[in-house]
Amino acid sequence: IQLMQYVIYGIASFFFLYGIILLAEGFYTTSAVKELHGEFKTTACGRCISGMFVFLTYVLGVAWLGVFGFSAVPVFMFYNIWSTCEVIKSFQTNVTVPGDQICVDIRQYGIIPWNAVPGKACGPILENICNTNEFYMSYHLFIVACAGAGATVIALIHFLMILSSNWAYLKDASKMQAYQDIKAKEEQELQDIQSRSKEQLNSYT
């Protein structure tokens, strides 16, 4: 458990720093995109860094999509247990069905092996589990973890769209700038040729 705590602290710190870096990179790239019609200059290093952030954000988005899927499993499991607990509480007033017939088998979720003992809770044992504070605390924490993973996936997708758009604009702008530089150089050479031809005509006349 302590190892998992340190892992969670490390992941949280990493994503805090990565979020600040993405925010700064987004501001700088967006400012560069806004200057497309002015004196815009971009370097291959800047485009490489933008492409690297796009790739890294894509990989992290896929990874957190898996985390979101795995965090939904305990939420589903705890929801089934909680609904079973509510059924047991309702059967306390209606005694037509004995409580011992109401069971929860944790082994069917694949968390523990089928030969694990005990892997099944029925009747009073399940009711005691339902009445503990740890059960509800774990349930709420798993819900928060699933919601946090979903919010992280949405944020990474949002960043990925913005970074991909800015990277495409920067790539096109660099090509347009190179074309304009070549065009300006050709126009300058054409003007030089015209001016030299005029000077030669003037010298002949």
Side-chain angles (χ1 to χ4, degrees), residues 92-160:
Q92 289 179 355
T93 56
N94 185 10
V95 200
T96 56
V97 178
D100 292 339
Q101 295 182 1
I102 303 172
C103 300
V104 170
D105 194 349
I106 305 297
R107 296 172 294 182
Q108 63 183 349
Y109 297 104
I111 299 175
I112 59 177
W114 279 100
N115 56 1
V117 178
K120 187 177 181 182
C122 300
I125 298 176
L126 180 60
E127 186 177 356
N128 291 332
I129 294 174
C130 297
N131 293 329
T132 58
N133 293 327
E134 290 81 7
F135 172 77
Y136 289 100
M137 178 63 69
S138 302
Y139 185 35
H140 295 155
L141 289 177
F142 277 121
I143 292 175
V144 171
C146 185
T152 305
V153 170
I154 294 174
L156 287 173
I157 291 174
H158 184 70
F159 268 117
L160 184 62

Side-chain angles (χ1 to χ4, degrees), residues 60-108:
L60 290 174
V62 173
W64 272 97
L65 191 61
V67 173
F68 175 69
F70 280 115
S71 63
V73 174
V75 173
F76 174 72
M77 182 187 72
F78 272 84
Y79 174 76
N80 288 336
I81 298 175
W82 174 78
S83 61
T84 308
C85 293
E86 293 298 320
V87 171
I88 291 179
K89 291 178 181 178
S90 66
F91 278 162
Q92 289 179 355
T93 56
N94 185 10
V95 200
T96 56
V97 178
D100 292 339
Q101 295 182 1
I102 303 172
C103 300
V104 170
D105 194 349
I106 305 297
R107 296 172 294 182
Q108 63 183 349

Side-chain angles (χ1 to χ4, degrees), residues 8-75:
I8 291 172
Y9 295 154
I11 292 175
S13 303
F14 168 75
F15 265 88
F16 179 74
L17 294 175
Y18 187 70
I20 292 176
I21 293 172
L22 279 181
L23 189 63
E25 203 273 342
F27 274 124
Y28 282 119
T29 310
T30 305
S31 300
V33 168
K34 288 180 180 179
E35 297 176 2
L36 287 176
H37 302 288
E39 293 190 359
F40 173 76
K41 291 289 184 183
T42 182
T43 61
C45 181
R47 294 193 301 273
C48 180
I49 291 175
S50 297
M52 182 193 68
F53 275 115
V54 170
F55 175 74
L56 187 57
T57 306
Y58 176 79
V59 172
L60 290 174
V62 173
W64 272 97
L65 191 61
V67 173
F68 175 69
F70 280 115
S71 63
V73 174
V75 173

